[in-house]
Amino acid sequence: MTTRRTPWALAGVLAGLAGLATSYATANVLSIRESPVVAVAESVIKLTPGAAAERAISVLGHYDKPALVTGILVILLGCFAGAGLLARGAWWRPMLVWAAIAALGLAAVLSLPSSGATDILPIGVGAVTWVAVHSALVDALRRGRQRPELESRERRVFLMVAGAVAVSTVAIAGAGRFVGAGRRHVESSRRLLRIPGVTRRQPPPATSVGLKGIAPWQTPNEDFYRIDTAIALPTIAPEDWSLRIHGLVDREVTLSYADLVARQMTESWITLNCVSNEVGGGLIGNVRWSGVRIADLLADLGVSADADCVFQTSHDGWYCATPLAALTDDRDAMLAVAMNGRPLPIEHGFPVRTVVPGLYGYVSATKWVVDYEVTTFDTAVGYWTDKGWSAEGPVKIASRIDVPRSGDGVAAGEVSFGGVAWRQHTGIEAVEVQVDGGPWERADLGEVPSVDTWVQWAVTLDVPEGDHEVRVRAIGKDGETQTSAIARPDPDGSTGLHTIEISAS
Ligand SMILES: Nc1nc2c(c(=O)[nH]1)N[C@H]1C(S)=C(S)[C@@H](COP(=O)(O)O)O[C@H]1N2
Ligand SMILES: [Mo]
């Protein structure tokens, strides 16, 4: 009896381990901090009543966490063997086990703070591996059972398949670990990095209008929106980074990280936003960037009068074409090395990215940038321009209501409204709010250090009982009033007025 059951249990265990390995490797490659097993362990810790946790710690000391992970793995092995044995019955029975474990993992991963869509991927990869590998092994077993005369040959086939699964499982887990180790190395050198000339500074107090619920004027790095096409984040150690500047220049150069940070450091508050931001959306942030002005660099190299753009390429093969004029005029277009006084986070372009005030990110803000070709728009076409977006991407004037939130109930009478407005490199002259199509009321504005940042606004209006529609519009320092005409984000940025519905009682 045991000899008949063992291969079935073994098939389940091998398939299970193969799925754990692919999911672990996926988590490492995607640089997700927690692989699903760790997420489950963390959930167990969170769900363990304090007294029990203390008991565990007093008995196990620092071994509490390894013991927990080991315990989870032992339970998983039991489940895997169980799934294997279930395969002797109907084909779908083991699926119940795979689905149940995947659901548990999913619940654990989603309960983590700041988990997103990509965090689910390792579980998906693991589940697919379970089903695929397990059916292959079960197939090999079944064929052996149906044709007893072939049993010994089929057993050899099964053992070979099982051996191959075991070897690739170890290899995949090892490769995942290796990739993860590379990332950990870059992350630790990032954390230890001190860049001369990079300072930490609080935002000027007058930038805040003091109304709770408005996005903070300074966006914390961990809250800054992230947009890129990278599946696995490029991890580049500063000593491995360089930027080649070539094309229509008198002198071509390749800058190392040391060369770059040895130059004059410029620090400036700049709001960056994504062309895909919908009216009222959150793909925008404002931080203090530190870096080297691109205008000064290019002036040193001598740019040909024929050039009108710089074609930028990133380490991960993304590219965009940026108008030369925006890189060489008086604005602080820079090769940024720090965000809010800290080396760029890896997901925001470590070690070096471009930031250009007044342009959407898709035509300017190349993360992990490694190549600048000074050239012309005739020949240079950016990644998103290739897909139908505009070649030039100046930021459109926009404004957003942060308080109250649409759908909120408020007390009738005096109601405070507030939010942000932006038109980088032109500046905001005024913000106006309108209730139910009535008169436009001017809001108070926070102070800003330059025209390159967003502005907080707030206004208190008398709101009678009932349901109301509230809209906001901004007026630029150039006199342009934000349009109410609705446009989609493509091809060059959304327009329309952010409108909320509130109910006063
Ligand atoms: N390498 C690389 N850089 C990139 C992108 C990208 O996909 N790859 N996306 C751009 C876009 S569309 C935007 S809006 C900004 C977003 O920068 P963030 O993720 O730091 O907010 O990066 C830009 N730089
Ligand atoms: Mo973007």
Side-chain angles (χ1 to χ4, degrees), residues 379-415:
T379 56
V381 180
Y383 181 94
W384 288 110
T385 308
D386 242 351
K387 297 186 163 32
W389 297 71
S390 295
E392 300 204 16
V395 170
K396 293 180 178 176
I397 187 166
S399 54
R400 189 177 81 193
I401 305 173
D402 286 351
V403 248
R405 300 261 158 215
S406 196
D408 276 359
V410 297
E414 299 212 318
V415 177

Side-chain angles (χ1 to χ4, degrees), residues 26-33 118 179-180 182-184 186-187 190 226-237 314-317 344-351 367-368:
T26 309
N28 264 307
V29 168
L30 296 181
S31 60
I32 293 168
R33 193 176 64 86
T118 44
V179 171
R183 177 179 158 87
R184 278 189 294 279
V186 171
E187 184 52 53
R190 187 190 86 83
R226 177 185 160 199
I227 298 281
D228 53 60
T229 56
I231 301 284
L233 281 175
T235 47
I236 313 164
S314 71
H315 185 268
D316 61 322
L344 293 177
I346 290 177
E347 63 268 31
H348 293 296
F350 183 77
K367 305 193 273 190
W368 316 289

Side-chain angles (χ1 to χ4, degrees), residues 130-492:
W130 283 333
V131 173
V133 171
H134 195 211
S135 5
L137 289 170
V138 165
D139 245 30
L141 278 173
R142 277 249 160 76
R143 263 181 277 128
R145 207 172 54 169
Q146 283 159 359
R147 311 198 30 201
E149 74 279 10
L150 291 179
E151 186 150 17
S152 76
R153 215 191 90 207
E154 292 296 341
R155 184 182 300 153
R156 268 208 309 281
V157 170
F158 173 73
L159 286 176
M160 270 160 57
V161 173
V165 167
V167 168
S168 19
T169 298
V170 171
I172 287 170
R177 202 173 161 73
F178 179 74
V179 171
R183 177 179 158 87
R184 278 189 294 279
H185 162 72
V186 171
E187 184 52 53
S188 69
S189 63
R190 187 190 86 83
R191 239 177 299 125
L192 294 173
L193 198 60
R194 294 287 170 272
I195 311 165
V198 171
T199 62
R200 245 171 248 176
R201 204 59 62 77
Q202 294 294 319
T207 52
S208 166
V209 291
L211 181 60
K212 210 174 130 237
I214 304 181
W217 186 79
Q218 175 184 26
T219 310
N221 286 355
E222 54 279 13
D223 295 343
F224 204 90
Y225 79 95
R226 177 185 160 199
I227 298 281
D228 53 60
T229 56
I231 301 284
L233 281 175
T235 47
I236 313 164
E239 62 271 21
D240 298 330
W241 178 88
S242 66
L243 173 71
R244 178 168 170 239
I245 308 179
H246 59 112
L248 300 172
V249 282
D250 299 339
R251 191 165 59 85
E252 177 178 325
V253 75
T254 298
L255 286 172
S256 70
Y257 190 77
D259 296 337
L260 184 73
V261 297
R263 295 182 65 100
Q264 170 73 42
M265 199 59 68
T266 292
E267 302 195 285
S268 104
W269 296 97
I270 298 167
T271 297
L272 176 65
N273 60 318
C274 181
V275 69
S276 301
N277 201 23
E278 305 271 355
V279 172
L283 298 180
I284 180 166
N286 181 54
V287 303
R288 190 155 175 276
W289 303 93
S290 313
V292 172
R293 290 192 73 236
I294 296 164
D296 301 344
L297 251 175
L298 290 179
D300 285 358
L301 300 182
V303 171
S304 153
D306 300 334
D308 64 9
C309 82
V310 171
F311 185 71
Q312 309 186 43
T313 310
S314 71
H315 185 268
D316 61 322
W318 187 83
Y319 48 93
C320 71
T322 311
L324 190 61
L327 297 173
T328 50
D329 67 12
D330 61 344
R331 78 188 84 187
D332 284 334
M334 62 168 95
L335 281 158
V337 293
M339 222 173 142
N340 288 330
R342 297 177 194 272
L344 293 177
I346 290 177
E347 63 268 31
H348 293 296
F350 183 77
V352 184
R353 76 173 306 168
T354 308
V355 176
V356 184
L359 300 183
Y360 288 120
Y362 82 106
V363 291
S364 65
T366 312
K367 305 193 273 190
W368 316 289
V369 65
V370 294
D371 194 282
Y372 274 6
E373 182 187 357
V374 179
T375 177
T376 59
F377 272 112
D378 297 351
T379 56
V381 180
Y383 181 94
W384 288 110
T385 308
D386 242 351
K387 297 186 163 32
W389 297 71
S390 295
E392 300 204 16
V395 170
K396 293 180 178 176
I397 187 166
S399 54
R400 189 177 81 193
I401 305 173
D402 286 351
V403 248
R405 300 261 158 215
S406 196
D408 276 359
V410 297
E414 299 212 318
V415 177
S416 292
F417 298 89
V420 282
W422 61 90
R423 172 79 162 106
Q424 292 95 302
H425 210 59
T426 300
I428 294 296
E429 179 66 31
V431 171
E432 297 178 334
V433 176
Q434 182 193 54
V435 180
D436 300 330
W440 286 99
E441 308 277 358
R442 288 245 154 160
D444 294 326
L445 300 186
E447 282 174 24
V448 281
S450 79
V451 294
D452 293 333
T453 73
W454 64 9
V455 177
Q456 284 199 352
W457 61 266
V459 65
T460 300
L461 299 175
D462 199 42
V463 179
E465 263 184 38
D467 293 344
H468 305 284
E469 199 178 74
V470 183
R471 308 201 286 171
V472 65
R473 72 179 182 192
I475 297 153
K477 284 204 185 295
D478 55 354
E480 182 187 347
T481 298
Q482 188 185 337
T483 176
S484 61
I486 294 170
R488 306 193 320 174
D490 63 292
D492 60 1

